[in-house]
Amino acid sequence: MRQKLIPLLTIYLLFNSALSAQDIEKMNKSELREHIAILTTKIDSIKNENISLKESISKLSKNSALFEQKNKANEIEIIRLNELILKNENERKRIDLENETIIAQLNETILTLKDSISNVHSSSNVVTTSTSFNNNDFLNKYYFDQIPLPNNSFSLVLTKLIYGNLETNNRYYDDDNKGGVMQVPEILDPSSFTFWGVNDNVDTKNKNFNDLIFANNTYYLDSKLPKIEILKNKLFTLKYMNGAEESFLFNVKHTGSDDKNNQRGILQIELANEEVKEDGTNNTAKDMVWRFFVIGNECYLALNRNQLNRIGLQLQTAGKLEYFRNGVTVINDDFGYYGGTTTGNEIYLSRNKDSYMESSEYINPDKLIYLFKLK
């Protein structure tokens, strides 16, 4: 019996170092049973505590895994926020650039108004048959005097748009029309239109056309156009947004008496591309002719859709989209079915609704003539 009690007593000694082996030897059976009961209670307590500790360890492990997941989620969120910050910063820079352009145009308008007021004050005639001439505008002056351009830089600024065609019906026997004017074009300000861009690098799968575009103004279109640099009144260079350049030899002239627009002469710039073919001949297929027309009392560079596409501005019909698919760039209206990644290059136009219109609709860019100033 004593041998069976020794292990229990030893455990007890671990809890109560003050109890010596001699004290145990002096205990009678009743006292030993009492101490054994105490030891058993403490052992049970230790077992329960051990179970509790194991449960705590399990909970801590689970919490650690959860914290690790949250940490990864936080890292992803930090990356997203950093990208959002970068996007917002780029948008801020774009808006700043637009504001600078607007301020420059407003300053130019103020100067024009000051000149107009001065002309009114200096004129002795209240009624006049001619409108004021803006002699601060480069094209207005260059139309009359093709001064040498030794080292000049210009930006193309969309200023007016001609929308529609002139259509008449001379068949008086047509009961529906009885002869007359069927359609007339309009000359509109860019503010009458919305210029739609495409979000770039977006998956097109299962998306509609309107899911991929965003509204903007005329300055968005202007920002997509190349800058013009003229050196020594001879070399005409287009500098594109992607860093590419295209150079031409240019010649400027007034067209002959048989080539006029509404009894007014036309200023024409002929741009001969300097790129040479493999056989050593000039690549004349890339030559361009730009014509400048006087409308009202202003001179404009008039370009159509094909001419603008030639210099990198991708005006597109609504519904069609340029996107990457299987390493190839395609343009069609099946982007939502096949899927791909948007390039963000295209621009679409719609006319803003006014009180005479039922609704706003997208415009075929071929139905517009785009009138530019050189600033």
Side-chain angles (χ1 to χ4, degrees):
M1 181 67 180
R2 181 179 296 176
Q3 292 177 348
K4 294 181 180 179
L5 293 175
I6 289 175
L8 294 175
L9 293 174
T10 302
I11 294 173
Y12 176 77
L13 289 174
L14 294 175
F15 292 97
N16 192 351
S17 59
L19 187 63
S20 64
Q22 293 178 353
D23 292 331
I24 294 173
E25 291 292 338
K26 294 178 180 179
M27 289 181 181
N28 56 35
K29 290 182 179 181
S30 176
E31 291 173 334
L32 287 173
R33 288 192 187 96
E34 183 179 350
H35 284 294
I36 289 171
I38 294 171
L39 288 174
T40 301
T41 301
K42 290 187 176 182
I43 289 170
D44 291 339
S45 175
I46 291 172
K47 287 181 178 179
N48 291 333
E49 187 175 353
N50 186 45
I51 292 172
S52 177
L53 289 173
K54 287 181 178 180
E55 291 176 351
S56 297
I57 292 171
S58 177
K59 289 181 180 179
L60 288 173
S61 298
K62 290 180 181 179
N63 289 336
S64 177
L66 289 174
F67 284 130
E68 186 175 352
Q69 291 177 355
K70 290 182 178 179
N71 186 49
K72 289 181 180 179
N74 289 336
E75 290 177 353
I76 294 173
E77 180 66 10
I78 289 171
I79 293 173
R80 187 188 71 81
L81 290 175
N82 286 335
E83 292 176 348
L84 182 60
I85 290 171
L86 179 59
K87 182 178 180 180
N88 289 339
E89 179 65 18
N90 292 335
E91 180 68 9
R92 183 190 64 78
K93 291 180 180 179
R94 183 189 65 78
I95 293 173
D96 288 345
L97 180 61
E98 288 184 0
N99 289 338
E100 290 176 2
T101 304
I102 293 172
I103 291 172
Q105 291 180 339
L106 289 174
N107 287 335
E108 184 174 343
T109 302
I110 291 171
L111 290 175
T112 302
L113 291 173
K114 286 181 178 179
D115 289 339
S116 300
I117 293 171
S118 177
N119 291 335
V120 171
H121 288 168
S122 62
S123 175
S124 59
N125 296 324
V126 177
V127 179
T128 178
T129 59
S130 63
T131 58
S132 61
F133 173 73
N134 180 10
N135 57 9
N136 291 316
D137 181 78
F138 168 75
L139 286 185
N140 290 351
K141 293 186 295 184
Y142 196 67
Y143 177 86
F144 294 103
D145 183 12
Q146 292 80 60
I147 58 174
L149 302 173
N151 186 5
N152 297 77
S153 298
F154 299 98
S155 296
L156 291 166
V157 177
L158 183 63
T159 308
K160 298 284 184 181
L161 296 99
I162 301 177
Y163 181 29
N165 301 305
L166 174 62
E167 183 179 338
T168 61
N169 182 4
N170 296 321
R171 297 174 297 175
Y172 190 77
Y173 55 83
D174 183 348
D175 291 335
D176 293 331
N177 303 303
K178 291 298 184 184
V181 179
M182 306 299 295
Q183 292 184 349
V184 294
E186 297 178 81
I187 298 179
L188 301 168
D189 292 327
S191 59
S192 299
F193 299 84
T194 296
F195 300 80
W196 300 86
V198 180
N199 293 304
D200 63 338
N201 200 32
V202 176
D203 186 5
T204 66
K205 187 70 173 178
N206 297 325
K207 289 187 174 65
N208 296 320
F209 176 73
N210 289 333
D211 296 332
L212 301 169
I213 60 175
F214 60 90
N216 218 310
N217 54 29
T218 180
Y219 302 109
Y220 178 74
L221 182 145
D222 293 343
S223 70
K224 297 285 187 178
L225 292 166
K227 303 300 181 183
I228 298 172
E229 184 179 90
I230 300 177
L231 296 177
K232 298 182 180 179
N233 202 44
K234 179 179 180 181
L235 186 64
F236 185 103
T237 301
L238 293 176
K239 295 190 173 184
Y240 295 94
M241 287 181 59
N242 62 3
E245 295 185 3
E246 191 174 12
S247 295
F248 307 82
L249 294 176
F250 88 98
N251 179 52
V252 59
K253 67 177 183 181
H254 277 279
T255 58
S257 59
D258 295 333
D259 186 9
K260 290 187 175 183
N261 183 68
N262 302 328
Q263 303 180 37
R264 289 171 158 181
I266 301 169
L267 185 67
Q268 180 169 296
I269 288 182
E270 298 169 351
L271 301 170
N273 189 275
E274 285 198 315
E275 184 175 327
V276 178
K277 296 181 181 179
E278 293 182 358
D279 60 5
T281 61
N282 288 334
N283 192 358
T284 57
K286 293 189 175 182
D287 291 354
M288 295 190 295
V289 175
W290 286 0
R291 289 161 68 89
F292 298 80
F293 296 85
V294 176
I295 300 175
N297 211 34
E298 294 285 334
C299 182
Y300 301 96
L301 167 62
L303 299 176
N304 61 21
R305 176 190 181 183
N306 288 337
Q307 289 175 298
L308 288 171
N309 287 351
R310 166 66 180 83
I311 60 174
L313 188 68
Q314 295 192 26
L315 297 172
Q316 188 57 265
T317 304
K320 289 188 176 181
L321 190 75
E322 180 184 83
Y323 60 102
F324 293 116
R325 179 163 57 87
N326 299 327
V328 179
T329 301
V330 294
I331 301 177
N332 57 42
D333 56 3
D334 294 329
F335 52 86
Y337 177 77
Y338 290 107
T341 304
T342 58
T343 64
N345 292 328
E346 310 94 296
I347 293 179
Y348 308 86
L349 282 83
S350 65
R351 183 172 181 179
N352 299 330
K353 184 182 181 307
D354 59 30
S355 56
Y356 296 94
M357 297 165 55
E358 294 181 359
S359 62
S360 175
E361 297 179 358
Y362 291 109
I363 299 173
N364 182 344
D366 289 326
K367 293 186 176 295
L368 295 164
I369 299 297
Y370 307 82
L371 303 179
F372 290 89
K373 287 289 191 178
L374 269 59
K375 302 293 186 179

